[in-house]
């Protein structure tokens, strides 16, 4: 069966510090991968998606970046965090991009920028 | 553009009450529709989905019917439990698009 891992589970960082959140998927190959942010009391915002190694599409301009160094690894990074980067970050995967396909979510990382 | 609108929460019900959470959508084509649930402190889980008009998705006692004529996908459950307390998200997915379009979420609180 497939599983998706995210770490860390929680993170408190000062403004201006760097960020690296990691997501890995097991039990499948060549998944589509996604990074979402969920601000408190709001819905999900797609940040990045990837259909293959080294292929990253950005949905929203921001000071975050994403990389996919391996088939089942997706990393969310920032060089300098802003207060507005606080939120709940969710990684997801799907088998393909068809309309009927389900996205499966990881447990999330709660980031607080102080 | 495509969008999803959900009823605002929180929705507070007593145990064993009937639940309806409204979801309507705007889309230029024929999307697939999803309900996801987020339990406190956790990520999202797919609850149910429907891929074409008149399809009914069901899971864990929850049901939703894809109504093309009213562009709706309302979530229902006949008898809720305290364990159903969570945030429920309605979403759609269009052809040739990797992105799920999300509603803002509806918080459901079930009191014993």
């Amino acid at each position: 069966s497939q599983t998706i891992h995210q770490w860390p589970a929680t993170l408190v960082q000062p403004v201006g510090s760097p960020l690296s959140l990691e997501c890995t998927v097991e039990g499948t190959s060549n998944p589509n991968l996604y990074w979402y942010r969920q601000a408190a009391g709001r819905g999900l915002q797609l940040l990045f998606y990837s259909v293959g190694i080294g292929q990253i599409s950005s949905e929203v301009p921001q000071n975050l970046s994403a990389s996919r160094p391996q088939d089942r690894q997706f990393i969310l990074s920032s060089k300098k965090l802003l207060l507005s980067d606080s939120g709940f970050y969710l990684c997801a995967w799907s088998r393909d991009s068809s309309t009927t396909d389900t996205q499966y979510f990881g447990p999330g990382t709660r980031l607080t920028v102080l | 553009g495509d969008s999803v609108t959900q009823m605002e929460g929180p929705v507070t019900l007593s145990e064993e009450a009937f639940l309806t959470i409204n979801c309507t959508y705007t889309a230029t084509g024929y999307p697939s529709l999803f309900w996801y649930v987020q339990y406190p402190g956790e990520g999202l889980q797919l609850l149910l989905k429907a891929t074409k008009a008149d399809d009914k998705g069901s899971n864990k006692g929850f049901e939703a019917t894809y109504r093309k004529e009213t562009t709706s996908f309302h979530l229902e459950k006949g008898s809720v439990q305290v364990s159903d307390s969570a945030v429920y998200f309605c979403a759609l997915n269009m052809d040739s698009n990797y992105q799920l379009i999300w509603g803002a979420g509806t918080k459901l609180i079930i009191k014993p």
Side-chain angles (χ1 to χ4, degrees):
Chain A
S1 64
Q2 299 83 19
T3 55
I4 178 168
H5 304 280
Q6 283 186 249
W7 64 90
T10 60
L11 189 61
V12 180
Q13 292 284 92
V15 170
S17 64
L19 173 74
S20 181
L21 302 182
E22 190 164 343
C23 170
T24 59
V25 180
E26 296 177 356
T28 188
S29 59
N30 197 32
N32 290 333
L33 296 171
Y34 310 82
W35 276 113
Y36 288 90
R37 176 169 58 204
Q38 184 181 26
R42 301 181 64 180
L44 277 77
Q45 178 186 39
L46 180 65
L47 302 175
F48 302 95
Y49 67 87
S50 171
V51 300
I53 296 174
Q55 300 179 63
I56 309 293
S57 296
S58 174
E59 290 297 310
V60 181
Q62 58 218 320
N63 71 320
L64 299 171
S65 62
S67 62
R68 185 169 178 174
Q70 300 180 44
D71 181 44
R72 290 169 289 176
Q73 184 184 31
F74 205 24
I75 298 173
L76 183 68
S77 303
S78 174
K79 293 181 180 179
K80 289 186 178 181
L81 283 168
L82 306 173
L83 286 174
S84 58
D85 291 325
S86 293
F88 192 47
Y89 288 83
L90 290 161
C91 182
W93 73 274
S94 67
R95 288 185 179 83
D96 58 45
S97 62
S98 69
T99 59
T100 61
D101 199 47
T102 300
Q103 292 186 15
Y104 300 92
F105 286 81
T109 294
R110 188 162 301 283
L111 172 66
T112 303
V113 182
L114 302 176
Chain B
D2 302 331
S3 65
V4 175
T5 303
Q6 287 182 239
M7 62 190 296
E8 287 191 24
V11 173
T12 303
L13 296 172
S14 297
E15 207 165 18
E16 300 184 0
F18 183 86
L19 168 71
T20 300
I21 299 179
N22 290 339
C23 171
T24 57
Y25 67 90
T26 301
T28 53
Y30 302 97
S32 293
L33 300 172
F34 303 81
W35 276 102
Y36 280 82
V37 58
Q38 185 177 32
Y39 296 104
E42 298 184 11
L44 276 75
Q45 304 173 25
L46 177 69
L47 182 58
L48 53 84
K49 68 180 183 182
T51 59
K52 59 183 186 295
D54 299 325
D55 269 2
K56 178 185 283 187
S58 61
N59 186 25
K60 299 182 180 179
F62 290 89
E63 293 183 340
T65 301
Y66 187 161
R67 302 286 188 198
K68 182 183 170 186
E69 63 276 12
T70 55
T71 62
S72 65
F73 193 53
H74 304 323
L75 183 68
E76 297 181 336
K77 186 174 185 182
S79 176
V80 292
Q81 305 300 314
V82 173
S83 57
D84 293 326
S85 298
V87 181
Y88 292 81
F89 291 91
C90 186
L92 69 81
N93 184 324
M94 289 300 302
D95 277 335
S96 303
N97 192 329
Y98 298 105
Q99 184 172 169
L100 278 171
I101 308 296
W102 296 86
T106 302
K107 185 173 184 177
L108 175 65
I109 300 170
I110 306 299
K111 296 186 174 181

